[in-house]
Amino acid sequence: MKLFPKLPLLAGALVLTFPLLSRAADTDALDIFDGKSLTGWDGDPRFWKVEDGCITGQTTKETPTENNTFLTWTGGELDDFELTLEYKLIGGNSGVQVRSFPLDRKWGVGGYQADFEAGDRYSGIIYGEAFRGILADRGQKNVIGDDHKPVTKEQFGDAAALQKAVKKEDWNALKVTAKGWTIENSINGTTTASLTDEDKGMRRRGGLLALQLHAGPPMKVQFRNVKLKRLPMGDVKKIVFIAGRPSHGRGEHEHRAGSMLLAKSLNTGAGDRFYATVYSNGWPADPTKFQNADAIIMYCDGGGGHMVNRHLPEVEAAHARGAGVGAIHYGVEVEKGPSGDAFLKWMGGYFEMNWSVNPHWDADYKTLPQHAVTRGVEPFKANDEWYYHMRFREGMKNVTPILTALPPKETLSRGDGTHSGNPAVREAVLTKAEPQHMMWVSENENGSRGFGFTGAHYHRNWQDNNFRKVVLNAIAWIAKAEVPAGGIQTPTPSEEEMKANQDKK
């Protein structure tokens, strides 16, 4: 499952050679429907198409839908956000699902819904599709407690009067805002309903975006100008994992499974302080993916084919506003030039071809430095493809080694090649016996933080509590979360958990 110089280099004077995105591009509402096709959306092709530049769902007498059916956005999941779109409804009932979940049937979705209809009863309410029913009626500001029942804290408007804001069989502007545990709907600039979900057993901070086509009489609904803007999450740290495509054999380079395991550890074992999400199978199409990210983690294949090479401006825009950047295993390797310069800026070091080496060996980390990232981590030993002899900033400026060991001479036994280092490596290891750094962290010029971790070729190593903890600590640290005195404590993953989410190879 997710992320993540060029010599001579003057520390503090790094100038990237790629064009940077504007700050506005990292925070603006962005289109998630291209106006031409259903690329990035998934639904029953019998009912959904693009017509007149609009997403169009339609049932007829001859082609009804047995159940409510949905067109789901496949770009990512919603967390804290502002969604705006225009809709036009001819007959029937429809709605927009947010922070939702898949049902057992194909193209079925449940969860929070911004409801609207051809009649006068439901437009503007917050409904729970397969999820507790009506949650807030039009004109209500409701709170739901652990008894799953909504309580009206304020009746801010008359339902019939608010209905007049809706244009029947014409275009309406819908806005759905979700911040923390509060969701609010508005139609044509008029707030219609608000819900604060304090039901700890059922509330959802993230989930799917989907458009509804209701079962029943023939109907037609259209959507256009669908725009999404993610909002800072505030009370939690947002971690975005970018997991590369499958590679290598079973149990090796398990980018997706490894990222999902780390994300689960943060989401369930760190005291509700993180919201971690995973984009799988390469660089995501979601244009909003980094807008509210506190940290970006790249776990992927690298080198000339590193997925970040064509997307440097996107990460730089997030870095420029303070997001941390980390990379795991092959994800630390990029080519000299713009990518290498970016990695030096974002996280202080990288694997440079013809300079660094990538042998498999038993690294014995006998001592650890005092640092937030090493809290609760005991000395450990692990067999992995531990890369070393990284290209670091000149003078290691603001770079702190975390995992350091002396590689045995056998690690230099491979033949010449781009991953075999050069005479400087052999001198450092064979003659000078210089310890090498397999993990490091950086503090950057703009106040952001980064890390590189060269292990995790073998998926099995995530079961090592110290191996896993030092990476979880690093993720928390670059997101600027407080690392507890004992580090981030998570149970040892079971064999079932280790097998989960592995790619077919």
Side-chain angles (χ1 to χ4, degrees):
M1 295 183 184
K2 270 162 249 302
L3 169 44
F4 343 195
K6 180 177 178 180
L7 290 178
L9 173 69
L10 297 178
L14 180 60
V15 179
L16 299 184
T17 58
F18 51 84
L20 302 184
L21 296 178
S22 68
R23 288 291 296 277
D26 187 50
T27 56
D28 281 355
L30 300 173
D31 291 309
I32 57 173
F33 164 55
D34 64 14
K36 301 175 183 178
S37 70
L38 293 182
T39 300
W41 297 81
D42 178 58
D44 191 330
R46 295 178 300 166
F47 304 116
W48 296 100
K49 62 182 177 180
V50 174
E51 179 180 286
D52 300 326
C54 305
I55 294 173
T56 303
Q58 186 171 14
T59 61
T60 64
K61 183 178 179 181
E62 295 73 28
T63 311
T65 176
E66 182 179 351
N67 300 295
N68 295 351
T69 189
F70 296 83
L71 182 73
T72 301
W73 181 53
T74 61
E77 294 194 343
L78 302 186
D79 38 70
D80 285 13
F81 67 91
E82 181 180 283
L83 175 74
T84 58
L85 56 79
E86 294 172 280
Y87 74 86
K88 181 166 70 172
L89 180 66
I90 308 296
N93 179 286
S94 183
V96 178
Q97 296 288 144
V98 298
R99 292 184 178 177
S100 292
F101 50 88
L103 299 178
D104 289 340
R105 67 176 187 274
K106 192 170 186 180
W107 297 305
V109 174
Y112 303 106
Q113 181 188 119
D115 202 346
F116 53 86
E117 60 155 344
D120 297 327
R121 170 69 180 88
Y122 298 111
S123 292
I125 77 167
I126 300 174
Y127 182 69
E129 178 86 3
F131 188 61
R132 299 174 294 179
I134 294 177
L135 304 178
D137 247 322
R138 199 164 54 232
Q140 291 180 346
K141 182 177 288 187
N142 285 0
V143 176
I144 302 180
D146 289 334
D147 62 357
H148 317 313
K149 298 177 181 179
V151 174
T152 301
K153 295 298 183 181
E154 179 185 347
Q155 185 75 39
F156 63 84
D158 176 72
L162 290 171
Q163 170 66 29
K164 294 178 181 179
V166 181
K167 303 173 186 177
K168 293 193 175 183
E169 298 191 0
D170 200 353
W171 288 103
N172 293 276
L174 173 70
K175 181 167 79 170
V176 184
T177 304
K179 181 69 175 172
W181 302 106
T182 297
I183 297 175
E184 185 175 281
N185 293 347
S186 75
I187 297 178
N188 297 324
T190 299
T191 301
T192 59
S194 177
L195 171 72
T196 299
D197 198 343
E198 297 179 355
D199 182 351
K200 295 182 180 65
M202 297 191 72
R203 66 185 184 179
R204 297 178 58 82
R205 190 67 181 268
L208 302 174
L209 164 64
L211 310 176
Q212 184 192 59
L213 189 61
H214 209 285
M219 62 167 290
K220 182 177 182 179
V221 63
Q222 292 185 295
F223 301 88
R224 68 185 185 188
N225 297 325
V226 186
K227 295 179 180 291
L228 176 65
K229 174 182 178 179
R230 295 186 186 272
L231 304 175
M233 298 190 75
D235 58 320
V236 294
K237 295 295 185 180
K238 168 79 174 284
I239 312 298
V240 176
F241 287 86
I242 309 291
R245 298 182 187 280
S247 75
H248 291 61
R250 182 78 169 171
E252 301 176 6
H253 287 223
E254 295 289 356
H255 306 133
R256 179 172 183 265
S259 294
M260 292 189 78
L261 188 149
L262 293 172
K264 180 181 178 181
S265 296
L266 290 167
N267 288 336
T268 63
D272 297 324
R273 296 185 299 128
F274 298 94
Y275 179 90
T277 189
V278 178
Y279 291 93
S280 298
N281 203 32
W283 203 258
D286 177 6
T288 70
K289 55 190 167 289
F290 298 147
Q291 283 187 333
N292 60 355
D294 293 293
I296 301 165
I297 312 300
M298 296 179 283
Y299 188 11
C300 58
D301 284 354
H306 199 300
M307 61 185 180
V308 81
N309 290 334
R310 293 186 294 113
H311 301 281
L312 297 173
E314 295 175 57
V315 181
E316 172 59 23
H319 163 83
R321 61 166 174 76
V325 180
I328 297 173
H329 195 52
Y330 200 0
V332 305
E333 181 186 328
V334 289
E335 294 180 316
K336 291 177 65 174
S339 295
D341 292 347
F343 271 40
L344 284 175
K345 181 180 182 182
W346 300 337
M347 57 194 200
Y350 73 103
F351 183 111
E352 181 185 294
M353 287 178 280
N354 300 308
W355 177 258
S356 307
V357 292
N358 65 337
H360 291 255
W361 56 293
D362 293 300
D364 192 357
Y365 302 113
K366 296 179 180 179
T367 60
L368 301 170
Q370 272 200 323
H371 192 279
V373 171
T374 62
R375 289 176 185 166
V377 181
E378 299 293 333
F380 68 97
K381 184 176 182 179
N383 178 271
D384 210 310
E385 186 182 22
W386 294 107
Y387 306 162
Y388 66 82
H389 204 250
M390 299 293 105
R391 177 66 75 189
F392 291 112
R393 292 175 185 160
E394 186 175 337
M396 298 289 286
K397 184 175 181 180
N398 296 325
V399 176
T400 302
I402 297 296
L403 296 181
T404 301
L406 180 63
K409 62 182 181 179
E410 291 79 13
T411 60
L412 295 173
S413 61
R414 63 188 301 172
D416 292 336
T418 56
H419 292 161
S420 300
N422 62 19
V425 185
R426 297 180 184 278
E427 180 184 12
V429 175
L430 300 180
T431 306
K432 296 182 179 179
E434 291 180 345
Q436 300 293 311
H437 310 311
M438 277 61 73
M439 182 183 189
W440 66 93
V441 297
S442 71
E443 297 181 82
N444 306 324
E445 292 288 328
N446 71 341
S448 68
R449 298 170 176 177
F451 81 85
F453 178 78
T454 73
H457 175 93
Y458 296 118
H459 186 61
R460 65 173 182 259
N461 281 330
W462 294 119
Q463 280 189 306
D464 184 307
N465 291 335
N466 292 299
F467 184 102
R468 187 178 67 261
K469 181 183 287 187
V470 76
V471 175
L472 292 172
N473 286 354
I475 294 169
W477 184 78
I478 70 169
K480 296 187 177 178
E482 179 64 24
V483 180
I488 295 182
Q489 306 275 9
T490 57
T492 303
S494 65
E495 289 300 324
E496 183 178 355
E497 289 175 304
M498 293 296 292
K499 291 176 182 177
N501 305 307
Q502 291 194 25
D503 291 310
K504 294 181 180 179
K505 298 182 178 178

